[in-house]
Amino acid sequence: EAGGVVLGKSAEKLFSLSGLFAVYKPKGPTSAGVLNLLKERLLAEAGVQTNGNKRNQVLKIGHGGTLDSAAAGVLVVGIGKGTKMLRTMLAGSKKYTAIGLLGKATDTLDATGKVTEEKPYDQITKGDLENVLQKFTGDIMQVPPLYSALKKDGERLSTLMKRGEAVEPKPARPVRVYSLSLQQFQPPLFTLDVECGGGFYVRSLVSDIGKELSTCATMQELTRTKHGPFTLEEHALYEDKWTIDEIARSLEHCTSLLPAEPSHKKLKTEHPGETAVSCE
C-alpha cells in the first residue's frame, strides 16, 4: 500500500457509497456512539487503517436526528453525498411508540432520572386519558425538557444540569402533533402512538399528560418507528447487517423513497408571493 492510495475492492466500494439508509439504534448507546460503531465496522471490513482522530476525514457519514440513549428505533444515516441530503429529506414527520408510567415524575422525564414526585393515579380511567390526548393534538406549545441536547452558551443543558448548575427552562415553543392515539391502558402503564414534526419531545408530552390528569407521569420506553420516509419495519438495518454489501443494497432500495419527497429548493418565481417547489 503506497501511503494508503491503493485501495482494495471492498474499500473502493465503501468510498463509492452515497445516499441515505437507516439503521436500528438499540437502547443504551448514544446516536453518535452508534454512528461511530458503524463507521468502525465498515472501515475494518474495508481494511482501512485509521490513525487515531483521522478516521473522521476518511469516511463521510452522518445521522439525521438524535435519539436519546434510552430510546430505540430508526436512525437515518447519510453516507457520501447523502450527508448533505439529510436535512431536506427528513423534513417530514416522525412516528414514535411511547410507554408512559402514571404516578411518578423524574427529573429527566424518563426512566433514567431520579424520581422527584409521586402521586396517586387510581382515579384515572382510559376515557380520561383519551380525552386529554385531544388537547395535545395539532399545533401546540411545548416546553422542552431541561435534560436535553438543547444548548445554552454552547453547552448542552443536560451537561449543565449534571454539573449541578441552575438551568432556566427554555421558553415554550410551537410544535406539531399530526396524530396521537392511545394503544394500551394497563395502569400505571399506558402506550401512545405519536406522529409529530421536528423539535418535538415525547418525554415532555408524557409529563404534560400526567399534569393535565392532575397526577404525574414519566416516559418508560420510547421507540422511533418512522423518520421521514424510513420505517423501522422496512428499512432499519440491524447490527448484523452493517456490512458494505448490505448497505449498498439498502441504499439502492432506499433511493426509491427519495424522489417521492419534493426537494425544498425554492424556485424564483415571478410572483414573490408564491413559492414553487420543484420535484427532482
Side-chain angles (χ1 to χ4, degrees):
E1 275 210 6
V5 179
V6 185
L7 293 174
K9 274 272 180 286
S10 56
E12 259 179 35
K13 185 164 183 181
L14 173 60
F15 290 114
S16 71
L17 295 178
S18 190
L20 300 184
F21 64 102
V23 297
Y24 174 75
K25 179 199 154 328
K27 222 166 139 168
T30 62
S31 296
V34 168
L35 208 62
N36 283 334
L37 182 61
L38 174 67
K39 207 187 268 188
E40 273 161 35
R41 279 287 170 80
L42 294 174
L43 291 170
E45 186 193 340
V48 178
Q49 294 300 309
T50 55
N51 333 349
N53 63 354
K54 283 238 183 79
R55 85 169 168 214
N56 289 338
Q57 295 142 28
V58 179
L59 186 62
K60 274 179 76 176
I61 200 164
H63 69 71
T66 304
L67 262 180
D68 289 339
S69 43
V74 66
L75 186 68
V76 180
V77 177
I79 191 165
K81 293 199 178 85
T83 52
K84 294 197 168 70
M85 299 157 64
L86 285 165
R87 186 162 284 147
T88 44
M89 276 314 310
L90 299 176
S93 66
K94 303 170 193 178
K95 281 186 180 172
Y96 295 92
T97 299
I99 299 176
L101 174 77
L102 290 168
K104 272 191 181 141
T106 64
D107 54 1
T108 58
L109 312 187
D110 68 13
T112 65
K114 292 196 287 283
V115 176
T116 53
E117 200 182 5
E118 296 197 44
K119 284 185 160 181
Y121 58 85
D122 338 338
Q123 70 285 5
I124 293 161
T125 65
K126 189 179 179 186
D128 294 336
L129 196 45
E130 285 175 330
N131 287 340
V132 157
L133 295 186
Q134 292 165 15
K135 293 190 181 175
F136 293 100
T137 307
D139 291 311
I140 61 169
M141 296 299 284
Q142 185 185 65
V143 177
L146 283 176
Y147 280 88
S148 68
L150 297 180
K151 293 184 171 164
K152 179 198 169 199
D153 306 330
E155 276 202 279
R156 289 184 166 207
L157 295 184
S158 51
T159 313
L160 298 172
M161 294 285 289
K162 283 169 191 160
R163 271 214 304 268
E165 295 190 23
V167 177
E168 281 288 301
K170 293 259 180 189
R173 52 192 198 169
V175 289
R176 179 166 288 184
V177 179
Y178 295 98
S179 66
L180 178 58
S181 59
L182 181 63
Q183 296 303 311
Q184 263 188 312
F185 183 62
Q186 295 168 304
L189 297 176
F190 60 96
T191 306
L192 302 173
D193 273 353
V194 190
E195 186 172 358
C196 56
F200 183 84
Y201 281 90
V202 184
R203 288 184 280 153
S204 295
L205 169 72
V206 170
S207 167
D208 292 344
I209 285 171
K211 290 177 190 154
E212 194 65 42
L213 290 164
S214 309
T215 177
C216 49
T218 188
M219 194 174 73
Q220 287 301 96
E221 265 182 56
L222 182 67
T223 306
R224 182 154 70 199
T225 55
K226 190 170 189 273
H227 190 181
F230 296 86
T231 67
L232 179 56
E233 246 168 58
E234 208 186 333
H235 307 109
L237 296 178
Y238 286 77
E239 214 183 311
D240 58 334
K241 295 246 164 77
W242 291 359
T243 65
I244 295 168
D245 285 348
E246 286 287 354
I247 287 169
R249 211 169 300 158
S250 191
L251 286 168
E252 262 175 55
H253 175 53
C254 293
T255 317
S256 64
L257 298 173
L258 307 187
E261 298 264 313
S263 83
H264 294 280
K265 287 193 184 121
K266 289 176 185 168
L267 294 182
K268 289 194 174 74
T269 50
E270 316 229 330
H271 314 287
E274 293 173 23
T275 314
V277 177
S278 67
C279 296
E280 286 162 8

